[in-house]
Amino acid sequence: MSQMLDRQPAGLYVQTPDSQQIAFPLKHTEVSAKVAGNLSRVEVTQTFENPFTTTLEAVYIFPLPDEAAVDEMLIKIGDRTIKGHIKQREEAQQIYQQAKEQGRTAGLLEQERDNIFTQSLANIQPGEQIDVIIRYSASLQFEGGNYEFVFPMVVGPRYIPGIPIGENAVGSGSAPGPMSQNQDTDLVPDATRLNAPILPAGTRSGHDINMTVEIDAGVNIQAVRSPSHQLHISHEGQQVRVGLVGSDTIPNKDFILRYQVASKTTQSTLLAQSDDKGGHFALYLIPALDYAPEQIVPKDVVFLIDTSGSQMGHPLGQCQELMRRFIQGLNPNDTFSIINFANTTQHLSPVPLPNTPNNQSRAIAYINQLTAGGGTEMLQGIQTVLNFPLTDPGRLRSIVLLTDGYIGNDNQILAEVQRHLKPGNRLYSFGAGSSVNRFLLNRIAEIGRGISRVIRHDEAPDETVERFFRQINNPVLTNIQVTWEGEGESPVVYPAIAPDLFAEQPLVLFGRKADAVAGTLQVSGIPAGGTLYQQRFEVNFERGGNPAVAQLWGRSRIKAVMNQMVRGETKSGVEAVTQTAIAYQLLCQYTAFVAVSDEVRGDHPEASVSVQVPVEMPEEMSYEGIFGSIQHLGSVDAGYAPSPPQLNRAISPKLKMSIRRALYANLLNERGEYQGTEVPEEPRRTHKPQSPPSMPQRSFLDMDKMRSQIQGESSDSGDADISDINDVQFSPESLPEAEDESLSVREFEVRPQLEAPSESVKLTFQAPKPAMPPQRLKLVSVTGLDAEAIALLTEHLQAVQLPPGVSGELVWELRITNGQVKQVILDEEESSGDDPEVAEAIRRSLFTWRAELSLSTTVLLRVRISA
């Protein structure tokens, strides 16, 4: 393993096995975009450079727009260009690994989330510069006469909840930072692929970025502007060319470009094309409907605000300002409440409040006192708001979420909304910051039948709030139906169920007609006035046309199927996504681009040094909010327990895991009964010396995550906050000779972050062994494992707690790499059980099972559940 040394402005430094110091910067990113109407075609060129004498491999985690249809990847070495080919992901990884071991230069482009990608580049030779070229198509956002083009530049650090799994699950957890990597968990089994190393404050990587956007709208363009960057703008007829000012090229924030067109023809646009895969079309429609103010109905609004550590500073300040404007903008007959979440949830009131002057003042005071700190336990916040009481069933419940979305368990949140959002309710999402998780914000609003907005931390909120109320008060078109008239088969249209429209919001549809026979597309809906709205479009599939239309249909189909799998991967869903991606040559989570040089270019590929490229912290994101003011807390993972740095090496991994779980899983309720891994409302307090110095705010990754039943002993009096802990040491004499999983009472030495470093605190906790549930799970058949592994897996699954009265059989496909379960796929056609909670419990348990390190295989598993 290479190590990071002192960081210098020139780039990332590593230490090789022979103690040679090497710098490896990602030198430059060049982005060139061409915009025509509603579509953009973007080329991203990443330039990697190796100025030293050791062969390098670079691994770079970076963002692209979550709706982007990525369809090309090339690597350029000197005057040679090597085209990447789309393959199933496992096959592409094998090709890349083989090429790497042979000494061939190879590139591998993978998708981790819709907006997070990994670029690996192997065998970069000494003195060599290599370009990686990525191309994609995307639709522009269009609303209220304004077009918006967005290019994200950095992946912000994700909070990772769950129980650590994998080879280093015990004793090696770490935060996303220059010297560390996140750890996979049962909730985020791919966490290690989401967080790039973050450069420390005040440090530059040497990597810069340049943007060029050419706009050809066919009409005059006006009001070209960017809230994020300084622009150089030039006009030539109806074309506009936009570039960055040279002083604004740090890749630490989203690039946002907005402009208007001097034409009313943008109310509807239909694009069509035809190729060997059939005819495709894209429809962008804004119904020309108006609303009278008296048609506004009373509503109930519940605001859910993220106050975790990643919001510290300007992002929380912006959310507070948005909240104040929201409260002031409510209609007199509306009701409202406020819920905030970090490690725990709190609320302004247990029931909705009438919108009176007194309640507004009470709400503003509540908003003003909010502070940021702790982890982003968004699931708790979502569950709280979805179950929040409704005092007037006749009101439309609107949930407004304010967050940066920096979490790794996106799908768990989406699944919760998908399953439990009540009919007729709406969920709207607002992101405040320089580089928020647009994938989560967009998808949660889409599933929640609402709208999504992103506002920078330094933008004036007035226009955003005014537009939001204009839309939320005026649902323009509901019960939208899309029908086809004409010969041949009907087209497949996405989204399959058209969303309700709000004021100034476009309806965007992508369709494919396999026989490419012309016809008429009709869109109808019911406006609030009750009069039927209809509009018809003649669709002619001419050969050729803009190929981006077909690519975007393929991307829309992939998104639709992935939305169906937010509760967990299924065999039919994975196959559908993979087949679509291969047919349309698109990148997805089950495909990858791989490019390999023909010639062997490295004499000693085994001596190559692998480096993960560090990234900037997003602009105005707080280092203290993410990492806290504690300089070193053992090794701290984003969202899960640190492992005590002085853990006795003689303790077995089994006992270490028990200690880890006991410290952080809250194994006891107030009556001393086992209750799984639920987190209590407040951490227990311990004792500390009197008159301590002022303590820092709890951080995004701090010890506030410790949730076991802790009792303190100290020679001095006073209360110590758990977040003050600076060091934890096991007392070896307190550990048993036998590996008793119950642990009984164990003692730890804790060194608070106090002025007097010699003072310490003794902590004890009790974590009895949970009662084993009845053995309701039985392995009916297993292929791909030997008898010993089957016995261990059987024992592992017998600990799964299942709800009563459930029976059936579930068939699973496990993909195991180096002993770790990397993918768990449910074969729903072969399964007879359909309880989602049971499937989720078994899925999470399977992710935590470990096989022999040498095992890499696919396992087929049939599990029977007895009632």
Side-chain angles (χ1 to χ4, degrees), residues 127-427:
E128 186 170 61
Q129 177 176 295
I130 295 180
D131 291 337
V132 177
I133 301 169
I134 301 166
R135 297 184 179 126
Y136 69 85
S137 299
S139 291
L140 266 66
Q141 296 292 320
F142 177 70
E143 184 178 332
N146 289 281
Y147 281 99
E148 182 177 84
F149 171 87
V150 176
F151 182 82
M153 295 187 179
V154 65
V155 176
R158 264 51 173 177
Y159 175 85
I160 308 298
I163 299 173
I165 60 176
E167 181 180 358
N168 298 317
V170 178
S172 62
S174 54
M179 295 186 66
S180 60
Q181 181 81 355
N182 268 339
Q183 204 169 329
D184 296 336
T185 73
D186 61 334
L187 289 178
V188 193
D190 60 347
T192 51
R193 301 185 63 86
L194 300 182
N195 280 323
I198 300 291
L199 288 170
T203 303
R204 279 297 315 277
S205 66
H207 170 215
D208 66 352
I209 192 167
N210 187 50
M211 292 281 311
T212 303
V213 183
E214 296 180 3
I215 308 169
D216 186 357
V219 295
N220 288 330
I221 302 169
Q222 57 192 21
V224 181
R225 63 203 184 279
S226 171
S228 61
H229 287 75
Q230 301 176 56
L231 302 180
H232 175 75
I233 304 170
S234 60
H235 293 260
E236 185 176 339
Q238 295 181 342
Q239 295 184 341
V240 173
R241 182 181 176 89
V242 177
L244 296 183
V245 172
S247 59
D248 201 3
T249 59
I250 301 174
N252 65 346
K253 54 189 173 181
D254 290 354
F255 172 79
I256 304 171
L257 177 66
R258 296 171 183 155
Y259 60 92
Q260 296 176 333
V261 294
S263 172
K264 295 184 179 180
T265 60
T266 56
Q267 293 300 308
S268 63
T269 302
L270 178 69
L271 304 173
Q273 67 89 233
S274 177
D275 56 26
D276 295 339
K277 293 183 287 294
H280 302 83
F281 64 82
L283 174 65
Y284 303 84
L285 169 65
I286 298 181
L289 298 172
D290 295 320
Y291 262 72
E294 61 269 16
Q295 293 174 322
I296 298 174
V297 296
K299 57 188 176 295
D300 175 57
V301 185
V302 182
F303 298 96
L304 179 62
I305 181 170
D306 179 356
T307 55
S308 64
S310 63
Q311 292 278 92
M312 187 178 289
H314 290 287
L316 179 61
Q318 182 68 296
C319 286
Q320 289 173 304
E321 180 61 21
L322 281 169
M323 285 289 304
R324 287 188 283 265
R325 301 297 181 91
F326 283 146
I327 296 297
Q328 295 164 355
L330 291 169
N331 296 322
N333 294 327
D334 293 340
T335 57
F336 72 93
S337 190
I338 300 170
I339 300 171
N340 57 287
F341 69 91
N343 283 53
T344 59
T345 60
Q346 299 176 348
H347 52 245
L348 168 67
S349 168
V351 295
L353 300 174
N355 185 26
T356 65
N358 284 341
N359 284 336
Q360 280 202 12
S361 298
R362 177 181 170 187
I364 298 298
Y366 185 86
I367 293 166
N368 292 341
Q369 59 84 37
L370 293 175
T371 58
T376 314
E377 293 292 340
M378 187 179 291
L379 182 63
Q380 294 183 42
I382 289 291
Q383 290 172 336
T384 301
V385 77
L386 292 177
N387 292 299
F388 197 72
L390 183 65
T391 55
D392 182 357
R395 292 177 182 269
L396 176 67
R397 165 65 57 84
S398 296
I399 299 169
V400 179
L401 170 66
L402 295 89
T403 180
D404 52 30
Y406 284 141
I407 58 173
N409 58 324
D410 310 63
N411 277 350
Q412 189 184 28
I413 304 302
L414 300 178
E416 193 71 16
V417 174
Q418 192 178 72
R419 289 177 58 191
H420 297 297
L421 184 70
K422 295 178 176 63
N425 291 355
R426 298 288 186 270
L427 195 159

Side-chain angles (χ1 to χ4, degrees), residues 498-779:
D500 294 346
L501 293 188
F502 299 87
E504 303 177 344
Q505 178 192 14
L507 173 67
V508 181
L509 300 174
F510 295 100
R512 172 181 178 264
K513 196 167 188 294
D515 58 15
V517 176
T520 301
L521 186 73
Q522 178 176 281
V523 179
S524 63
I526 306 296
T531 304
L532 180 66
Y533 170 89
Q534 287 186 337
Q535 192 159 346
R536 297 164 63 88
F537 301 88
E538 299 299 322
V539 183
N540 295 297
F541 300 104
E542 296 183 3
R543 196 71 180 176
N546 191 334
V549 176
Q551 303 299 84
L552 291 173
W553 179 87
R555 185 69 189 83
S556 297
R557 171 167 167 74
I558 289 172
K559 182 177 79 169
V561 179
M562 293 299 293
N563 281 350
Q564 296 171 6
M565 293 196 294
V566 292
R567 301 183 193 180
E569 293 173 306
T570 62
K571 184 177 180 180
S572 62
V574 171
E575 289 176 352
V577 170
T578 303
Q579 290 169 5
T580 302
I582 295 294
Y584 285 82
Q585 296 291 286
L586 295 175
L587 191 62
C588 72
Q589 285 184 238
Y590 309 121
T591 59
F593 277 103
V594 61
V596 178
S597 65
D598 292 331
E599 75 279 13
V600 174
R601 309 181 67 245
D603 295 333
H604 301 286
E606 70 280 357
S608 176
V609 175
S610 183
V611 177
Q612 188 166 19
V613 177
V615 300
E616 308 282 344
M617 181 72 85
E619 182 185 56
E620 294 299 337
M621 193 171 184
S622 168
Y623 279 85
E624 181 182 352
I626 297 297
F627 300 107
S629 60
I630 298 173
Q631 296 300 313
H632 181 65
L633 180 59
S635 299
V636 185
D637 283 311
Y640 41 85
S643 180
Q646 305 299 328
L647 185 62
N648 190 331
R649 294 181 181 272
I651 301 173
S652 73
K654 188 176 183 182
L655 182 56
K656 290 180 185 179
M657 178 57 76
S658 297
I659 293 170
R660 189 187 191 97
R661 286 174 175 166
L663 273 170
Y664 292 94
N666 184 43
L667 296 179
L668 298 175
N669 62 20
E670 292 181 356
R671 296 185 300 275
E673 297 169 342
Y674 176 74
Q675 61 174 21
T677 59
E678 294 299 317
V679 178
E681 286 298 315
E682 292 295 335
R684 293 293 182 98
R685 299 265 175 167
T686 61
H687 298 289
K688 68 181 179 184
Q690 294 178 343
S691 304
S694 59
M695 295 299 172
Q697 286 183 295
R698 290 172 180 169
S699 76
F700 187 55
L701 309 174
D702 66 11
M703 292 295 285
D704 194 34
K705 190 69 176 172
M706 182 181 288
R707 298 300 187 186
S708 57
Q709 303 298 97
I710 298 178
Q711 301 171 337
E713 296 179 1
S714 175
S715 57
D716 299 285
S717 60
D719 290 331
D721 195 308
I722 291 171
S723 65
D724 307 337
I725 293 174
N726 190 35
D727 192 11
V728 181
Q729 292 188 348
F730 284 82
S731 299
E733 64 276 6
S734 72
L735 297 171
E737 293 295 330
E739 294 191 5
D740 178 8
E741 283 281 4
S742 69
L743 288 183
S744 184
V745 176
R746 300 292 174 261
E747 187 176 88
F748 301 88
E749 182 176 359
V750 178
R751 296 177 180 172
Q753 188 176 343
L754 303 172
E755 291 179 350
S758 60
E759 309 222 42
S760 64
V761 180
K762 297 285 186 179
L763 296 185
T764 63
F765 70 91
Q766 191 173 27
K769 183 177 181 180
M772 294 298 291
Q775 296 183 7
R776 297 178 51 203
L777 286 183
K778 180 180 180 182
L779 295 185

